Amino acid sequence: MASSTEHHINPKPQGFIQRHRTAILLVGLLLFLPPLAIIFQVSSGDNDFCGTWCPRMFFTWRQGMSSSAFLFGFLRSFIGVLLVVGILLSTFFLGRWWCSHLCPVGGATELGSRLVPQRLKIGYASIPAPPVRYGYLAAYLIAPAIGIGSLCCNYCNFAAVPRFFGAMFTPADMAYFFRSAGLINLALLFLLGFLARGGRAYCNFLCPIGALDSLVNRFGSKRGKRFRVTSHRCTGCGHCAPVCPTWAISMSEEENTKAQIDHFSCMPCGQCEQICPEGAIHYGKAS
Amino acid sequence: MKAKPVLYFIAAAAIAFFAASYRFYDSAHTIGLIKASGGEARHPIVLDPGLDRYTVIATASVIPPYRGDIRIAVEGLPGMDWQLHNSVPAIDLSPWRHPELRDNILYDVQPKDRLALWLVMQPTAGAPAVTAAPTAAVTAAASPSTAAGDCCVAASPPAEHTGHSRTESATKATPAGPLLAFYDLRSGNRVLTIPITFRGKGGDHGVVH
């Protein structure tokens, strides 16, 4: 397998959105994260995802909760509910564009990881992401329902990342990290985010939205648009697998080795498409 | 079915269930309702005694028709320094109004406001350590003398600690235990009372959130 440091360029030019993905992620950071957090400030007066924008808390069912209390969670986080519905619908038809291009939290860790020297980064590709992700999701949904506790809020990168940026500006955001759970969140942010190869290990393992989104991505893969490998073009060179931030690409173990994309983990970042020297990876519907 | 993914699933679920069930008692999230007639805490604050720092996030909704300025105080913990921080945008570009926190007073609180405050408490150097106390209900019923001898749990005049009049604090029936109290600045009435409980060994596991 070729080294990831070698440079290969797809002979076919990428589209505008793929070529400007870094700029789009940076705009997302400015819009969603402190010190500006313009989207939250203008829409609801909130500072971050905690509040009406929360895309996670409304689907945790706590033991003893009445139906009305559960529905109240939907109302309280109504923008978060709409956000998740929009994400899942767009994912079904178009793929995980929210995760790859828009999510400011995953975007922050990915962009941050690009600033870290390769030799300091931790590779998680040997760990199969889907079983870890769905083990986490199972506990996320079941633990509060049976009354043993909750992962929601305590371990949340949608809370930790905005406060990581905000801590430089406000003591309230700094206070978030002055406690054991805050320090664990900070450690996870570094170990699975900034220091992870590709910067997306947190997204791949511990994001409940990412877990739901990847399920929809997999089940909609036959009907919707996704990144796909054109088998007859793929030479099995293996350049694509190391650049995948979600380690979604594996090489088949058949005689004619070909790249395979796992739609349980793939997001349309386009890095594989960009590096493939044969132009064998493209975005589109199943033929 | 391959064994490796199954093992990873089981291991991830087991670790996540453990993480969900384990709570660190150096911090707490309390949720309250602010009412003119005296608000209520839906989640009290439950902490471990003897630690060198505590962090509490207190979120509260303002129930109409209450409006006014609110003074906030930690009471019954004389050996504890505390700071209060309002969760507001770092650079305020919001077209929405936010209550402003100055000198532990929230100004211009209006109906349906949602407040998010961070409380950081640290024992004062040389002060007696906070020790375990009975549950909130028990502390509330106890007389000051029952707990004051041991430490700071149920004790002393808030006036010393908060710089405000004790008579103002006593306008409503006051639970004897430590509290995070919200007072209407004009009337002196308590509009929200949040008990602070220090749990004992093997005791109360508090409210998970």
Side-chain angles (χ1 to χ4, degrees):
Chain A
M1 189 174 284
S3 157
S4 61
T5 55
E6 288 180 38
H7 212 68
H8 300 268
I9 299 293
N10 186 340
K12 292 190 293 186
Q14 288 186 303
F16 178 88
I17 293 175
Q18 293 296 14
R19 277 186 286 121
H20 296 91
R21 179 168 168 264
T22 300
I24 294 169
L25 285 173
L26 281 170
V27 170
L29 261 58
L30 287 175
L31 291 177
F32 282 95
L33 298 184
L36 299 179
I38 296 167
I39 295 282
F40 301 126
Q41 290 206 49
V42 170
S43 63
S44 60
D46 290 337
N47 309 324
D48 49 41
F49 282 100
C50 302
T52 53
W53 271 87
C54 177
R56 293 176 174 171
M57 198 169 154
F58 66 85
F59 56 77
T60 53
W61 178 284
R62 293 187 170 78
Q63 193 190 41
M65 202 177 215
S66 64
S67 306
S68 58
F70 186 64
L71 288 173
F72 179 72
F74 277 77
L75 291 176
R76 184 181 46 202
S77 319
F78 71 98
I79 302 180
V81 176
L82 294 174
L83 180 66
V84 173
V85 170
I87 290 170
L88 298 184
L89 277 175
S90 70
T91 293
F92 186 86
F93 294 107
L94 301 172
R96 299 171 63 194
W97 289 89
W98 161 262
C99 295
S100 66
H101 282 68
L102 298 173
C103 176
V105 174
T109 56
E110 184 182 333
L111 294 178
S113 79
R114 292 187 197 171
L115 304 175
V116 177
Q118 278 294 333
R119 63 192 161 81
L120 296 179
K121 287 188 185 171
I122 306 164
Y124 293 98
S126 60
I127 301 173
V132 175
R133 185 188 312 142
Y134 298 117
Y136 176 85
L137 183 66
Y140 183 90
L141 296 175
I142 294 169
I146 60 176
I148 64 167
S150 175
L151 291 163
C152 186
C153 294
N154 287 330
Y155 305 101
C156 179
N157 58 344
F158 277 66
V161 169
R163 291 188 170 96
F164 178 77
F165 285 88
M168 289 176 269
F169 303 94
T170 67
D173 284 347
M174 181 69 87
Y176 175 87
F177 297 104
F178 283 163
R179 59 203 183 103
S180 304
L183 290 173
I184 290 173
N185 275 309
L186 191 62
L188 289 173
L189 193 56
F190 273 86
L191 293 174
L192 298 177
F194 300 132
L195 295 176
R197 202 162 288 156
R200 292 284 187 158
Y202 202 121
C203 311
N204 225 10
F205 290 141
L206 303 183
C207 178
I209 303 302
L212 291 176
D213 202 35
S214 60
L215 272 177
V216 173
N217 193 55
R218 173 67 184 81
F219 291 121
S221 63
K222 292 231 167 79
R223 292 188 176 191
K225 287 186 167 184
R226 302 289 187 272
F227 271 97
R228 303 179 192 281
V229 178
T230 309
S231 287
H232 68 270
R233 283 191 179 174
C234 178
T235 60
C237 68
H239 290 129
C240 50
V243 300
C244 177
T246 58
W247 56 101
I249 301 178
S250 59
M251 307 309 292
S252 66
E253 292 166 0
E254 298 160 8
E255 196 174 327
N256 282 331
T257 304
K258 304 282 184 192
Q260 292 177 325
I261 297 176
D262 178 7
H263 289 294
F264 266 129
S265 294
C266 173
M267 60 178 193
C269 63
Q271 296 195 37
C272 52
E273 181 193 33
Q274 187 180 20
I275 206 165
C276 177
E278 306 299 328
I281 298 178
H282 71 284
Y283 175 72
K285 287 194 168 186
S287 53
Chain B
M1 187 179 281
K2 290 181 183 173
K4 189 176 173 184
V6 174
L7 289 175
Y8 271 100
F9 177 86
I10 292 169
I15 293 168
F17 271 111
F18 173 75
S21 62
Y22 190 85
R23 227 203 91 180
F24 293 97
Y25 285 91
D26 61 348
S27 63
H29 181 183
T30 180
I31 300 175
L33 300 174
I34 290 176
K35 294 179 186 171
S37 57
E40 58 198 72
R42 287 169 52 205
H43 290 191
I45 300 167
V46 182
L47 302 167
D48 263 349
L51 304 180
D52 57 7
R53 186 197 297 270
Y54 301 97
T55 306
V56 173
I57 172 147
T59 49
S61 301
V62 180
I63 305 299
Y66 179 77
R67 69 175 64 232
D69 303 328
I70 297 176
R71 182 176 67 79
I72 303 161
V74 174
E75 297 179 353
L77 287 173
M80 200 78 84
D81 281 333
W82 54 273
Q83 299 92 41
L84 204 58
H85 306 295
N86 195 11
S87 194
V88 289
I91 298 174
D92 197 346
L93 303 170
S94 174
W96 305 76
R97 185 196 50 81
H98 296 284
E100 186 187 357
L101 180 73
R102 272 184 283 125
D103 299 327
N104 301 328
I105 297 172
L106 271 172
Y107 291 96
D108 192 23
V109 176
Q110 294 190 10
K112 297 188 179 176
D113 273 354
R114 289 177 294 118
L115 310 176
L117 301 163
W118 287 84
L119 171 68
V120 180
M121 302 190 291
Q122 288 177 285
T124 313
V130 175
T131 55
T135 61
V138 176
T139 21
S143 69
S145 61
T146 55
D150 184 26
C151 113
C152 40
V153 244
S156 357
E160 291 173 18
H161 190 58
T162 62
H164 292 275
S165 139
R166 193 178 183 186
T167 47
E168 183 187 17
S169 305
T171 49
K172 290 198 80 169
T174 311
L179 349 138
L180 178 61
F182 294 64
Y183 294 97
D184 176 63
L185 197 62
R186 195 162 50 89
S187 67
N189 288 339
R190 196 178 282 163
V191 290
L192 175 60
T193 305
I194 301 172
I196 302 174
T197 303
F198 290 91
R199 67 186 191 131
K201 281 183 183 174
D204 180 16
H205 284 266
V207 177
V208 284
H209 176 67

